[in-house]
Structure formats: C-alpha cells, structure tokens
C-alpha cells in the first residue's frame, strides 16, 4: 500500500503536470478525459485524500456530502471556483485552493482577441472565405468598428481586468474606465490609464466595449440582463471571459437580434458546453469554447500551482491559494 496521499485527478492534464503528480502522489489520472459526473465525484471524495478538480466538476452540497468522506482537500485547476459550493466545503472542513496569477496574461490576451474579433468581424470573415463566398476586395466590404482610441469599460478591476487595461491603453490607445467596489489605488489605476466610474451604469453608458471581469456569485448572476444591456450604446460590444452566469444569455441573444448592441464576443456560457441555438444563428457574436487560459505554458503553470497547494496541504503548511 502506498503511503503517499491519494489524489483523484478529474481531467487529463498536461504531461509534465501528470508526471509530477504521479511522482509525488498516489495519483489516479483520468486517461479517457471523461468528466466524472456526480457519482464519480462522490466516489472520488470517498476514496481519495484530495481531488484535483476543474470547472467541469460540479461540486454541489449534495456531491460534497457523500459519506463516508475520505477527502480533505480540493485543489482546483483554475482561478474561478463557482462550480464548488465553498460554504459547504468549509462547513465540512474541506480545504479548497485555486490557481490565480498564472493565467492572468493568457486570459487578458484572449479578452483582447475577442474584442478585436468582434469589432473587425473576423469570425464572419473567416466563414466568408472558407465558404467560397468571397468575390474580392472592395471599399465597402465587411466594414467593422475601429478599436484604437475607443473607450473600454471594465466591469470588475481584478488581476485579469488590469492586464486587459494595460494592453488596451498602452497597446491600442484606448481610454479605459472601470467600476469595482474594491478599486485599485489611484496610482495603479493611473499607470493603466484607467479612470474609475461611480457605478456600473456609468460604465455601460459610456463604453464602446464592455468587458466583464467579475466573479460569478449569487449577486452577479445575470448582472448583464435585458435592462443593463439596454443601457449600453447601440454601437457598443460586450466581451465575456469571466463566467457565463454573469450574462442572461437569452436577453443577450434578444439584444443582438434587435440591434440593442452591435455585437458580443463570448468565451463562457451559462450551460457549457451548450450554447443557446439563438446565439449560434447570429453573425454579430463571436463564440469560443472557454479558451481563456488555454496555452501550453499557462495550463502547465496552473497544474504546477495546484500541485504546490496539494504538497503544502499534505505537509501541514498553509496553502498558497486558499479560497476557504
Ligand atoms: C478559470 O481558471 O477560472 C478558467 O475559467 C477555467 O476554470
């Protein structure tokens, strides 16, 4: 019998991470990469000392309550943890960690990718070329919206939003405005060329591009509803790299069809991997499959960060990234 802690790894991870996991732990890897589902997660909680889990594992109160439970820790591979009922985990004495910092740059890059894609109609353009419909250059063909010099409104001003602000301001000469109940210091905001606004509505009304960077909580669920989408300018665009729950997807599809806003670019959805059929049928929305942190470098760094938290936990040391 191994004396190393047993860790169930719920999804396939980059090879260097799986190698280190197998060296330091009695790791049960998921070679098929199929989500475990509620029953598999319960079994893992009952048979392992820790789970290395991801956004695709819904660790609800019901799942976490599986008895008799052996697990004492959940090392989440990702910064967002709205898929984990953290209050229940805390109540049950389960430690939970996440992987902040290491995915900031990759996710900010993707937010800028989305912003450029939707404003310059690159998804539509690609479909146009691939379908063989392109008849050649002409001065009025597929005109988009200029990015340089426009106003970017950030909803939330945490690490990723700040990295987006830096790119937008210093790279594209955008004017950046933001709203966050916990704003950065005036000096930091100034270094990003970012100006605070007193309310979310001010940001929505003034911005040419609104990019969402708030966590998914009961308070932010459907933050971007019909009414708030209606506050945005008709020429403006919505970008979401945060969580699908923050946007009322049905209200967004309606706003896009009716021209309430000019376009949207989404990396996250309310019921992943399902995307509302209405959105799929629209040309003025860019749809990506939750790629925010999806670079080789970042996914390895996320795995190593989760491993660091696991090692600290089983050594009895404080976690680097506790979320409970
Ligand atoms: C994150 O880190 O939150 C990503 O969205 C994957 O979970």
């Amino acid at each position: 019998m191994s004396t190393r802690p047993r860790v169930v790894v719920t999804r396939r991870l980059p090879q260097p991470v799986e190698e280190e996991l197998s060296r330091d732990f009695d790791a049960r890897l998921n070679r098929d990469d199929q989500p475990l589902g509620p029953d598999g997660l319960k079994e893992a909680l009952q048979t392992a000392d820790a789970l290395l889990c991801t956004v695709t594992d819904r660790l609800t109160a019901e799942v976490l309550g599986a008895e008799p439970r052996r697990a004492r820790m959940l090392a989440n591979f990702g910064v967002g943890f709205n898929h984990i009922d953290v209050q229940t985990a805390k109540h049950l004495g389960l430690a939970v960690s996440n992987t902040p910092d290491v995915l900031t740059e990759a996710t900010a890059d993707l937010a800028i990718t989305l912003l450029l894609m939707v404003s310059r109609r690159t998804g539509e353009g690609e479909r146009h070329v691939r379908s063989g419909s392109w008849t050649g250059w002409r001065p009025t063909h597929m005109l988009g919206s200029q990015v340089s010099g426009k106003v970017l409104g950030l909803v939330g001003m945490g690490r990723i939003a700040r990295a987006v602000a830096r790119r937008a301001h210093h790279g594209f000469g955008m004017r950046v405005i933001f709203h966050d109940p916990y704003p950065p210091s005036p000096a930091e905001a100034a270094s990003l060329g970012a100006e605070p606004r007193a309310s979310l509505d001010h940001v929505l009304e003034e911005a040419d591009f609104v990019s969402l960077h708030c966590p998914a909580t009961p308070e932010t669920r459907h933050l971007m509803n019909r009414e708030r989408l209606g506050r945005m300018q008709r020429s403006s665009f919505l970008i979401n790299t945060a969580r699908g729950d923050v946007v009322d997807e049905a209200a967004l599809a309606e706003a896009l069809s009716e021209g309430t806003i000019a376009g949207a670019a989404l990396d996250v959805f309310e019921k992943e991997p399902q995307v509302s059929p209405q959105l799929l049928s629209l040309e003025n929305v860019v749809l990506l499959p939750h790629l925010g942190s999806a670079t080789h470098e970042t996914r390895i760094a996320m795995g190593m960060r989760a491993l660091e938290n696991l090692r600290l936990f089983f050594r009895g040391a404080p976690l680097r990234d506790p979320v409970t």
Side-chain angles (χ1 to χ4, degrees):
M1 271 266 297
S2 169
T3 54
R4 295 172 302 165
R6 182 177 301 166
V7 177
V8 167
V9 184
T10 66
R11 299 305 297 262
R12 201 80 241 226
L13 297 181
Q15 195 183 345
V17 182
E18 290 194 342
E19 280 170 11
E20 279 208 26
L21 267 164
S22 303
R23 196 190 62 207
D24 293 2
F25 295 95
D26 174 13
R28 195 174 94 198
L29 304 178
N30 185 346
R31 303 240 182 249
D32 300 335
D33 206 15
Q34 291 304 314
L36 299 187
D39 290 342
L41 289 170
K42 285 181 191 171
E43 192 265 337
L45 287 159
Q46 290 173 316
T47 54
D49 299 299
L51 269 61
L52 198 161
C53 54
T54 75
V55 67
T56 57
D57 305 311
R58 286 184 41 74
L59 289 151
T60 60
E62 203 261 322
V63 168
L64 292 174
E67 292 286 355
R69 190 183 53 262
R70 171 169 165 176
R72 292 185 294 127
M73 191 208 173
L74 306 173
N76 186 52
F77 181 95
V79 69
F81 48 85
N82 61 313
H83 53 289
I84 303 174
D85 185 329
V86 171
Q87 285 315 316
T88 300
K90 192 172 176 176
H91 177 72
L92 296 172
L94 266 161
V96 183
S97 65
N98 67 346
T99 60
D101 307 319
V102 290
L103 46 70
T104 300
E105 303 302 324
T107 309
D109 288 348
L110 197 89
I112 295 290
T113 303
L114 286 173
L115 186 151
L116 291 168
M117 283 184 78
V118 70
S119 59
R120 300 302 302 273
R121 303 174 60 180
T122 60
E124 258 184 280
E126 249 245 355
R127 288 190 287 279
H128 190 64
V129 173
R130 285 183 188 274
S131 67
S133 316
W134 187 34
T135 54
W137 189 91
R138 54 195 190 278
T140 55
H141 186 218
M142 224 173 246
L143 304 188
S145 194
Q146 187 96 350
V147 167
S148 302
K150 292 275 175 69
V151 179
L152 171 64
L154 299 170
V155 178
M157 198 55 173
R159 298 179 194 84
I160 297 171
R162 292 175 205 199
V164 172
R166 193 175 313 116
R167 286 158 173 72
H169 180 68
H170 295 293
F172 295 95
M174 297 182 87
R175 203 151 69 75
V176 180
I177 59 174
F178 68 92
H179 176 68
D180 192 315
Y182 305 99
S185 69
E188 184 173 5
S191 76
L192 302 169
E195 306 158 29
R197 289 292 178 270
S199 71
L200 171 60
D201 285 349
H202 283 107
V203 171
L204 300 180
E205 285 161 15
E206 194 180 335
D208 298 303
F209 296 88
V210 171
S211 188
L212 303 175
H213 298 283
C214 52
T217 63
E219 293 73 40
T220 61
R221 184 175 152 71
H222 287 186
L223 183 78
M224 292 308 294
N225 56 18
R226 190 170 200 273
E227 194 245 314
R228 292 215 176 83
L229 289 163
R231 290 195 178 272
M232 291 174 61
Q233 301 178 32
R234 290 184 90 78
S235 56
S236 66
F237 299 90
L238 180 73
I239 321 292
N240 191 8
T241 51
R243 278 292 182 265
D245 287 11
V246 179
V247 177
D248 178 343
E249 217 166 280
L252 175 64
E254 197 182 292
L256 290 167
S257 317
E258 292 175 356
T260 310
I261 62 172
L266 312 173
D267 187 43
V268 285
F269 302 88
E270 271 194 84
K271 297 194 179 92
E272 292 179 17
Q274 291 164 43
V275 177
S276 85
Q278 244 189 306
L279 286 180
L280 291 172
S281 69
L282 292 171
E283 281 291 6
N284 57 345
V285 60
V286 174
L287 308 166
L288 294 185
H290 204 145
L291 294 179
S293 59
T295 68
H296 294 290
E297 296 86 343
T298 297
R299 289 285 164 85
I300 291 171
M302 289 164 72
M304 295 305 176
R305 189 76 168 239
L307 251 165
E308 184 183 345
N309 280 294
L310 280 168
R311 285 195 195 104
L312 288 169
F313 180 80
F314 286 107
R315 209 184 289 151
L319 299 179
R320 179 163 180 188
D321 308 300
V323 301
T324 44

